[in-house]
PDB file of all heavy atoms in Angstrom:
ATOM      1  N   ASP F 787      11.610  27.666  28.475  1.00 95.00           N
ATOM      2  CA  ASP F 787      11.363  27.798  27.034  1.00 95.00           C
ATOM      3  C   ASP F 787      12.192  28.949  26.480  1.00 95.00           C
ATOM      4  O   ASP F 787      12.500  29.913  27.184  1.00 95.00           O
ATOM      5  CB  ASP F 787       9.870  27.981  26.749  1.00 95.00           C
ATOM      6  CG  ASP F 787       9.345  29.332  27.197  1.00 95.00           C
ATOM      7  OD1 ASP F 787       9.458  30.289  26.424  1.00 95.00           O
ATOM      8  OD2 ASP F 787       8.830  29.418  28.335  1.00 95.00           O
ATOM      9  N   TYR F 788      12.550  28.823  25.219  1.00 95.00           N
ATOM     10  CA  TYR F 788      13.354  29.840  24.555  1.00 95.00           C
ATOM     11  C   TYR F 788      13.181  29.672  23.048  1.00 95.00           C
ATOM     12  O   TYR F 788      12.602  28.685  22.566  1.00 95.00           O
ATOM     13  CB  TYR F 788      14.828  29.716  24.949  1.00 95.00           C
ATOM     14  CG  TYR F 788      15.419  28.336  24.781  1.00 95.00           C
ATOM     15  CD1 TYR F 788      16.047  27.960  23.599  1.00 95.00           C
ATOM     16  CD2 TYR F 788      15.355  27.408  25.819  1.00 95.00           C
ATOM     17  CE1 TYR F 788      16.590  26.696  23.443  1.00 95.00           C
ATOM     18  CE2 TYR F 788      15.891  26.142  25.674  1.00 95.00           C
ATOM     19  CZ  TYR F 788      16.505  25.788  24.484  1.00 95.00           C
ATOM     20  OH  TYR F 788      17.034  24.532  24.333  1.00 95.00           O
ATOM     21  N   GLU F 789      13.702  30.640  22.300  1.00 95.00           N
ATOM     22  CA  GLU F 789      13.576  30.638  20.844  1.00 95.00           C
ATOM     23  C   GLU F 789      14.959  30.595  20.208  1.00 95.00           C
ATOM     24  O   GLU F 789      15.942  31.077  20.774  1.00 95.00           O
ATOM     25  CB  GLU F 789      12.812  31.879  20.376  1.00 95.00           C
ATOM     26  CG  GLU F 789      11.376  31.915  20.894  1.00 95.00           C
ATOM     27  CD  GLU F 789      10.688  33.235  20.606  1.00 95.00           C
ATOM     28  OE1 GLU F 789      11.313  34.103  19.950  1.00 95.00           O
ATOM     29  OE2 GLU F 789       9.533  33.409  21.044  1.00 95.00           O
ATOM     30  N   THR F 790      15.026  29.996  19.018  1.00 95.00           N
ATOM     31  CA  THR F 790      16.288  29.876  18.310  1.00 95.00           C
ATOM     32  C   THR F 790      16.024  29.848  16.809  1.00 95.00           C
ATOM     33  O   THR F 790      14.934  29.483  16.362  1.00 95.00           O
ATOM     34  CB  THR F 790      17.054  28.615  18.745  1.00 95.00           C
ATOM     35  OG1 THR F 790      18.279  28.530  18.014  1.00 95.00           O
ATOM     36  CG2 THR F 790      16.238  27.364  18.496  1.00 95.00           C
ATOM     37  N   ARG F 791      17.054  30.199  16.029  1.00 93.00           N
ATOM     38  CA  ARG F 791      16.950  30.151  14.578  1.00 93.00           C
ATOM     39  C   ARG F 791      17.599  28.904  13.994  1.00 93.00           C
ATOM     40  O   ARG F 791      17.428  28.617  12.808  1.00 93.00           O
ATOM     41  CB  ARG F 791      17.605  31.395  13.966  1.00 93.00           C
ATOM     42  CG  ARG F 791      16.877  32.698  14.273  1.00 93.00           C
ATOM     43  CD  ARG F 791      17.590  33.868  13.613  1.00 93.00           C
ATOM     44  NE  ARG F 791      16.915  35.128  13.906  1.00 93.00           N
ATOM     45  CZ  ARG F 791      15.908  35.627  13.188  1.00 93.00           C
ATOM     46  NH1 ARG F 791      15.476  34.960  12.123  1.00 93.00           N
ATOM     47  NH2 ARG F 791      15.348  36.772  13.507  1.00 93.00           N
ATOM     48  N   ILE F 792      18.385  28.196  14.799  1.00 95.00           N
ATOM     49  CA  ILE F 792      19.071  27.004  14.313  1.00 95.00           C
ATOM     50  C   ILE F 792      18.300  25.746  14.704  1.00 95.00           C
ATOM     51  O   ILE F 792      17.324  25.810  15.460  1.00 95.00           O
ATOM     52  CB  ILE F 792      20.516  26.949  14.845  1.00 95.00           C
ATOM     53  CG1 ILE F 792      20.520  26.908  16.382  1.00 95.00           C
ATOM     54  CG2 ILE F 792      21.324  28.142  14.341  1.00 95.00           C
ATOM     55  CD1 ILE F 792      21.921  26.793  16.980  1.00 95.00           C
ATOM     56  N   THR F 793      18.750  24.597  14.214  1.00 95.00           N
ATOM     57  CA  THR F 793      17.978  23.359  14.384  1.00 95.00           C
ATOM     58  C   THR F 793      18.593  22.422  15.421  1.00 95.00           C
ATOM     59  O   THR F 793      18.381  21.212  15.363  1.00 95.00           O
ATOM     60  CB  THR F 793      17.856  22.631  13.040  1.00 95.00           C
ATOM     61  OG1 THR F 793      19.170  22.360  12.532  1.00 95.00           O
ATOM     62  CG2 THR F 793      17.082  23.461  12.042  1.00 95.00           C
ATOM     63  N   GLU F 794      19.343  22.945  16.356  1.00 96.00           N
ATOM     64  CA  GLU F 794      19.820  22.146  17.478  1.00 96.00           C
ATOM     65  C   GLU F 794      20.095  23.050  18.668  1.00 96.00           C
ATOM     66  O   GLU F 794      20.267  24.252  18.530  1.00 96.00           O
ATOM     67  CB  GLU F 794      21.063  21.327  17.124  1.00 96.00           C
ATOM     68  CG  GLU F 794      22.300  22.131  16.852  1.00 96.00           C
ATOM     69  CD  GLU F 794      23.492  21.236  16.568  1.00 96.00           C
ATOM     70  OE1 GLU F 794      23.289  20.071  16.171  1.00 96.00           O
ATOM     71  OE2 GLU F 794      24.630  21.704  16.765  1.00 96.00           O
ATOM     72  N   SER F 795      20.115  22.428  19.853  1.00 96.00           N
ATOM     73  CA  SER F 795      20.302  23.210  21.072  1.00 96.00           C
ATOM     74  C   SER F 795      20.895  22.313  22.152  1.00 96.00           C
ATOM     75  O   SER F 795      20.439  21.181  22.347  1.00 96.00           O
ATOM     76  CB  SER F 795      18.958  23.774  21.536  1.00 96.00           C
ATOM     77  OG  SER F 795      19.091  24.437  22.769  1.00 96.00           O
ATOM     78  N   LYS F 796      21.932  22.825  22.846  1.00 95.00           N
ATOM     79  CA  LYS F 796      22.507  22.117  23.983  1.00 95.00           C
ATOM     80  C   LYS F 796      21.773  22.516  25.259  1.00 95.00           C
ATOM     81  O   LYS F 796      21.379  23.678  25.409  1.00 95.00           O
ATOM     82  CB  LYS F 796      23.994  22.428  24.134  1.00 95.00           C
ATOM     83  CG  LYS F 796      24.867  21.817  23.064  1.00 95.00           C
ATOM     84  CD  LYS F 796      26.340  22.123  23.330  1.00 95.00           C
ATOM     85  CE  LYS F 796      27.221  21.475  22.273  1.00 95.00           C
ATOM     86  NZ  LYS F 796      28.673  21.751  22.518  1.00 95.00           N
ATOM     87  N   CYS F 797      21.637  21.574  26.155  1.00 96.00           N
ATOM     88  CA  CYS F 797      20.942  21.843  27.413  1.00 96.00           C
ATOM     89  C   CYS F 797      21.691  21.157  28.545  1.00 96.00           C
ATOM     90  O   CYS F 797      21.974  19.951  28.473  1.00 96.00           O
ATOM     91  CB  CYS F 797      19.502  21.337  27.336  1.00 96.00           C
ATOM     92  SG  CYS F 797      18.496  21.757  28.774  1.00 96.00           S
TER      93      CYS F 797
END
Side-chain angles (χ1 to χ4, degrees):
D787 70 85
Y788 52 91
E789 297 171 3
T790 179
R791 293 181 181 273
I792 60 178
T793 58
E794 67 178 22
S795 175
K796 289 183 178 180
C797 186

